[in-house]
Amino acid sequence: MSANDPSNPSPETLQLEIRKMEPKDTEGLVQCVYRCYGSSYPNPILYDPQKMGTALNEGLLHSVIALDPKGGELIGHCALSFDEPGDPIPEAGKLLVDPGYRGHHISDRLSKVRHQEAIKLGIPGYWSACVTNHPFSQDEIIATGGYETGLLINGQPSSVHMEGLNNIAEVRHSLIPFFIPLVKNKPLEVFLPQHHHAFFESLNANLGLPRTIGDSSTKNAPSNKGSIAASSTRAGAVEYLHIRVDGYDVIDDVRDQIKQSESLQAPVIYIDIPIHHPDSVKLIEGLEDLGFFWGAWLPHFGADGDILRLQKLLDYRMDTQDIVCARPAGEACKAYVLAEQKRVGSSQDNP
């Protein structure tokens, strides 16, 4: 059966083999990526069979694939990916389906098997950053119990184009982050500025994680001198700068890094703040004074607890009409994050 054969069977009759990917399948996945995205897919590992094989063998990549049993062609893929060995939770993503096989609910079937694989790993949950120029990938995450935790504005290059969909844009695409809880671990305390408490509680009303917001009023000033580690992701040019924080007294370091990022023309800066310590409150407030605003709550993302990902736009071009949310919970996140962007921008204009 050809992928473009108009006599393709209905979703109820299409027979597929769905299983975990093995290193021998990597060449077939590369071919599938090209059929879906050409050379525009933003994650270069999916074009490199050797790197994929290494990641599979090291347990950093847990992929699920769909195969057409008649020809053995790989026609669908999704994965759980760990950035580093020992990371507490993986990212669910890399979902793609051959354009000739769409309409058969293959992505549903892939994501359900991936969810079962996540349960087998014994992790507290996993997260996903879904595109917002269409709702389809959001629907898959929602179907497996995911809930929205923010909005990453302009988080994906405009050059990313999926075959068969009207998703070409002149500006970068935004991403909506989800967390999919699996196991309720011990209760955790988080520390956030007062103005974020209500929004955080509204997010956790959906997730139902054992969280309480701690009282940071007894802390007068950050006492934990820290450092930052910055890394950039490239897709022809610097696409974003990602800053990880170790400690809380890092405002001057971040200010210096912003200047470097502007010279590199990085359109977006992300900074991940561990929010298990009272000092995070003053750090978040200080970063908001520099133009950072809410991006995503990432439960269990850090070794000691949750992470708040803040974002700062250096390229302010965006199309809010391009941000399509699959349900009202996503619309609420969109509204809050856009309002926060406006608020921190106004505070910079009027110190």
Side-chain angles (χ1 to χ4, degrees), residues 65 82 103 112 135 143 175 200 211 220 266 288 307 314:
I65 56 173
F82 292 92
K112 288 177 182 176
L175 302 168
F200 177 86
R211 296 291 187 275
N220 295 319
E288 288 178 344
I307 293 292
L314 301 182

Side-chain angles (χ1 to χ4, degrees), residues 199-315:
F199 181 60
F200 177 86
E201 289 171 346
S202 72
L203 297 178
N204 200 38
N206 292 326
L207 284 170
L209 299 178
R211 296 291 187 275
T212 56
I213 300 177
D215 180 10
S216 62
S217 60
T218 58
K219 302 294 287 187
N220 295 319
S223 57
N224 183 8
K225 178 62 180 177
S227 61
I228 66 173
S231 61
S232 61
T233 292
R234 296 176 179 269
V238 174
E239 291 300 347
Y240 63 79
L241 184 77
H242 187 186
I243 301 175
R244 291 180 173 85
V245 170
D246 175 20
Y248 295 92
D249 188 10
V250 295
I251 290 293
D252 289 341
D253 292 339
V254 173
R255 189 180 286 111
D256 292 341
Q257 188 63 61
I258 291 172
K259 294 178 181 178
Q260 295 181 37
S261 302
E262 290 172 337
S263 67
L264 293 172
Q265 297 182 325
V268 183
I269 304 175
Y270 297 133
I271 185 164
D272 287 358
I273 309 300
I275 54 175
H276 65 275
H277 191 282
D279 285 351
S280 65
V281 174
K282 288 188 178 294
L283 176 57
I284 292 167
E285 292 172 341
L287 291 169
E288 288 178 344
D289 289 340
L290 297 180
F292 285 89
F293 57 98
W294 187 288
W297 169 35
L298 301 172
H300 297 292
F301 209 72
D304 298 312
D306 296 353
I307 293 292
L308 177 63
R309 175 166 295 177
L310 300 178
Q311 58 190 327
K312 178 180 174 65
L313 301 184
L314 301 182
D315 181 350

Side-chain angles (χ1 to χ4, degrees), residues 17 31 35 38 86 97 120 143 195 198 201 224 236 304 313 333 336 338:
E17 179 186 2
Q31 296 172 19
R35 292 195 300 273
V97 174
K120 292 177 184 177
H195 55 269
E201 289 171 346
N224 183 8
D304 298 312
L313 301 184
C333 287
Y336 186 82
L338 291 176

